[in-house]
Amino acid sequence: MTSERVDELLSKYRENTGRCAHLKEAQKELEQQYNAIKATHYATMLDCGAKWPDGMPHGTFTGNPTEQKAMKIMADNYMSDEMRAIQAQIAENRKELAEKAVDIAYVDAWLTGLNERDRWIINQQVIDKVPWRDIAILYQQKYFEARTKRSLQTIRDMAMEKVYQIAK
C-alpha cells in the first residue's frame, strides 16, 4: 500500500468509523421498514375476502384463490417497487459498509503495531488533527514529560515510518 493511501486512510479514520456506525443503524431501520412493508403487502395480497354471490358465471376455472396468490408470490418472488427500492438501498449500504470496514480494519491493524506513545501521537495529530500546541500540553498532562513541538513531530514521523513499514 502506498504512503499516500496510508495517509488517506488515517486521516479518514474518524469519518469512516462514524459513517459505519450510522450505516449499521440505517441498515436496521431499512430492514424493519422492508419487513413491515412486506408483511403488509403480502397480507393485503393474500386477503381474498368473500365473493358476493351475484348469480353470474365466472368462468370454468376452479381453484383456491389464496393458493394461487401464494404460488404467484413464491414463483415470481413478487416485490413491490417500494420493496425493490428499499432492497437496493440496503444492498448499497452493505457495500459501503463493507468497504469502510476494511479501511477501519487496516488502520486498527497498523495502530496495534505501535507502542502506546506512538499510537497516542498518531491518534492526536494524524487522525484527530489536534494542533501541536494542544498536543504538547496534552502530552505533558498524560506522560508527565514536557516535549517541544519539534520533538513531538519527530515522534510522529518515526511512528508514521513504522506504519508505512507495516502497510507495505
Side-chain angles (χ1 to χ4, degrees):
M1 188 173 295
T2 66
S3 60
E4 292 82 15
R5 178 74 174 140
V6 169
D7 292 341
E8 177 187 353
L9 291 180
L10 285 169
S11 67
K12 289 186 176 183
Y13 180 73
R14 292 282 182 243
E15 177 186 334
N16 287 344
T17 54
R19 182 69 179 152
C20 279
H22 170 78
L23 287 172
K24 287 176 185 175
E25 292 304 315
Q27 195 75 4
K28 289 178 190 175
E29 185 179 329
L30 286 171
E31 288 171 358
Q32 288 174 347
Q33 282 179 346
Y34 178 81
N35 290 333
I37 291 168
K38 180 179 174 181
T40 303
H41 183 71
Y42 285 174
T44 304
M45 187 175 196
L46 293 175
D47 184 23
C48 296
K51 299 276 186 197
W52 191 260
D54 59 4
M56 298 296 295
H58 292 281
T60 59
F61 181 75
T62 58
N64 184 344
T66 302
E67 179 184 14
Q68 292 170 12
K69 289 181 181 181
M71 293 302 286
K72 178 178 174 46
I73 289 171
M74 295 303 290
D76 297 342
N77 197 15
Y78 182 77
M79 281 194 283
S80 68
D81 291 339
E82 186 177 15
M83 290 167 63
R84 285 185 212 286
I86 291 174
Q87 265 198 338
Q89 193 171 4
I90 287 171
E92 185 178 312
N93 283 0
R94 281 186 183 150
K95 180 182 175 191
E96 182 180 356
L97 184 60
E99 291 169 357
K100 299 230 183 277
V102 169
D103 292 349
I104 291 169
Y106 274 130
V107 174
D108 288 340
W110 301 332
L111 293 177
T112 57
L114 300 175
N115 65 41
E116 199 273 328
R117 287 182 190 218
D118 290 348
R119 188 172 36 252
W120 186 85
I121 289 285
I122 296 294
N123 273 316
Q124 294 296 316
Q125 207 284 316
V126 180
I127 293 175
D128 291 337
K129 310 234 186 311
V130 176
W132 284 113
R133 188 187 69 208
D134 295 343
I135 291 174
I137 294 167
L138 292 170
Y139 189 90
Q140 184 172 5
Q141 290 172 352
K142 184 169 178 72
Y143 296 108
F144 304 107
E145 180 181 340
R147 292 280 185 154
T148 64
K149 174 184 171 183
R150 187 71 206 132
S151 66
L152 291 171
Q153 287 173 337
T154 302
I155 294 171
R156 190 256 340 251
D157 293 343
M158 290 172 29
M160 287 301 295
E161 283 303 317
K162 291 176 189 176
V163 170
Y164 296 146
Q165 290 300 316
I166 294 169
K168 261 189 182 177

